[in-house]
Amino acid sequence: MPAGSTSPNRSRRWLLPAVLASVVVLALAAVGVAVAQPGPVAQWRDGGAGEQSAAEPAPAAVLATADANAPEPTAGGVRAALDPLVSASALGDRVNVSVTDVVSGATLYGQGADDGTVPASVTKLVTGATVLAARGPGHRIPTRAVAGATPGEVVLVGGGDPTLAVDRNGFYPGAARLDDLAEQVKTALGGTAPTRVVVDSSLYTGPVHAPGWDDDIPSGGYGAAITALMTDGARSDPEKAKRDHDDGSHAAERVEEPDLHAGRAFAQLLGVPTDAVELGAAPEVGPDATPGASGGELGVVQSLPMVRLVDIMISDSDNVVAEALARQVALARGQPASFTGAGESMEAVAGELGLPVDGLTFADGSGLSRANRISPSLLTELIALAGDGSRPELATIFGGLPVAAWSGTLVDRYTDAAAKAGAGMVRAKTGTLTGVHAIAGVVTTADGRLLGFAVLTDKAPADGLEKARVALDRIAAALAACGCR
């Protein structure tokens, strides 16, 4: 089963990332982060454009507040609470765990903590942190139109924005739109009628599907061909996908050639026949290029700022957005925008952030690949780094983390009697593939202490999805229920 297949909150699918980015996020302020909006979040979300890209709703308090002066759990206390739970048969015979105190950085529990483990969708925490570090929270991804080699020829140049919409009915609210770009092109061309559309998606290189993806990923609706130009995350019917998503389904039919699909939609907006659309390359741009000259810019639209794209990726476990953001890390470092270039670049940035990269392997940025390896200790060190105030841009990953029994992939979890203590106290990213289950995030103890935790298992029974999830929920709930001293 692909990562992120749990149902989302039915009524707050897109409201929650914005709300939860501005709530009291477990009281990370206790460890030096201005939680309400860590760093200049208004500027980051705006991307320097001078105004908010979308109205921020009033915050709603849904999480318990931690206390920086609360007593710290002991390693012995945490072990007594967790040892009976990590050996649950539903988790299989390889369960790797790390628990740390966010304030002090002390390790409170470790079992295979430094072992690289198949992380599934928990990979997105590292993808989010590395793209925020490499690109910055306010960075926006452009989609451009330039003049082709002959009059009337328009080249649509993909910059890697996976949320680009055709019009206001797109899947991602607030996304850049091709109809806006088409109007810019018509104005720039003046009396010259567009006659042909060339699609330049050459920014990405290499295979469009990652090594290690299960055979049903491209066809099952959880992944897609990863191209530098696409609309609505390559969904073939974004309006139906929105309805299905609100009913609890993350899967959606995807188009086989996302770049050409987007090019044909753009051609229709320009009044160009869809059979006059082809793949190609933008002309070389001279230093004095004008809108009418070959290669001259005819228009540009910009994506949501990176902080919002990370919100979407994490809260909704969006695999296609994740792969696009991974390639942004590669582009920021001047590396090929491919699965290989993205993986190597994310590993390099993780090392520069001081995270333990021994055993770290990235075959993709979403976690769909079974070739990925991440250690629990890397995840808890990342959580501590994001929470200690030294890199305020990284704290924005907490804004998208689902809340137990409240939002995202945790909305329907923590309902088991032995896990209810975690409801509203746990904020975490989940990951699921067949036989692979993971969760990593933060939890507030009964005494008000903030802990980071990561539990990864990649040899669980293939037919035990629900039992494995309950077992994981009980581990985090045990930390929420005890002082562990």
Side-chain angles (χ1 to χ4, degrees), residues 416-446:
D416 172 73
K420 284 185 176 179
M425 308 294 285
V426 173
R427 184 168 200 151
K429 182 74 195 75
T430 60
T432 306
L433 296 166
T434 302
V436 176
H437 305 283
I439 189 167
V442 286
V443 56
T444 307
T445 70

Side-chain angles (χ1 to χ4, degrees), residues 95-123:
V95 185
N96 295 332
V97 186
S98 177
V99 179
T100 59
D101 183 273
V102 174
V103 177
S104 69
T107 298
L108 299 174
Y109 189 95
Q111 174 176 294
D114 297 329
D115 294 347
T117 315
V118 181
S121 201
V122 168
T123 301

Side-chain angles (χ1 to χ4, degrees), residues 171 217-224 232-238 240-242 244-245 249-255:
F171 185 81
I217 294 300
S219 61
Y222 292 98
D232 301 300
R235 292 168 179 84
S236 61
D237 187 342
K240 181 180 183 299
K242 285 189 287 187
D244 291 346
H245 198 297
S249 174
H250 281 259
E253 183 180 350
R254 315 282 173 151
V255 298

Side-chain angles (χ1 to χ4, degrees), residues 350-400:
E352 292 165 4
L353 289 171
L355 301 176
V357 296
D358 290 345
L360 181 65
T361 300
F362 290 117
D364 69 13
S366 64
L368 288 174
S369 177
R370 293 178 180 273
N372 288 350
R373 296 293 184 273
I374 298 176
S375 68
S377 61
L378 182 146
L379 293 167
T380 52
E381 289 196 28
L382 170 58
I383 289 164
L385 177 64
D388 70 10
S390 63
R391 298 293 299 258
E393 73 277 16
L394 300 186
T396 60
I397 66 170
F398 294 110

Side-chain angles (χ1 to χ4, degrees), residues 7 14 132 147 168 176 281 308 320 334-335 370 481:
S7 54
W14 296 108
L132 288 167
R168 66 177 65 253
R308 285 291 295 120
V320 176
Q335 298 301 311
R370 293 178 180 273

Side-chain angles (χ1 to χ4, degrees), residues 171-233:
F171 185 81
Y172 302 97
R177 291 163 32 189
L178 285 178
D179 58 352
D180 288 339
L181 184 59
E183 290 304 312
Q184 294 179 43
V185 169
K186 292 175 184 177
T187 300
L189 290 178
T192 302
T195 58
R196 188 171 200 82
V197 170
V198 175
V199 174
D200 185 345
S201 59
S202 62
L203 185 65
Y204 290 0
T205 59
V208 296
H209 302 131
W213 279 11
D214 290 350
D215 292 340
D216 63 347
I217 294 300
S219 61
Y222 292 98
I226 306 303
T227 55
L229 178 68
M230 63 174 62
T231 54
D232 301 300

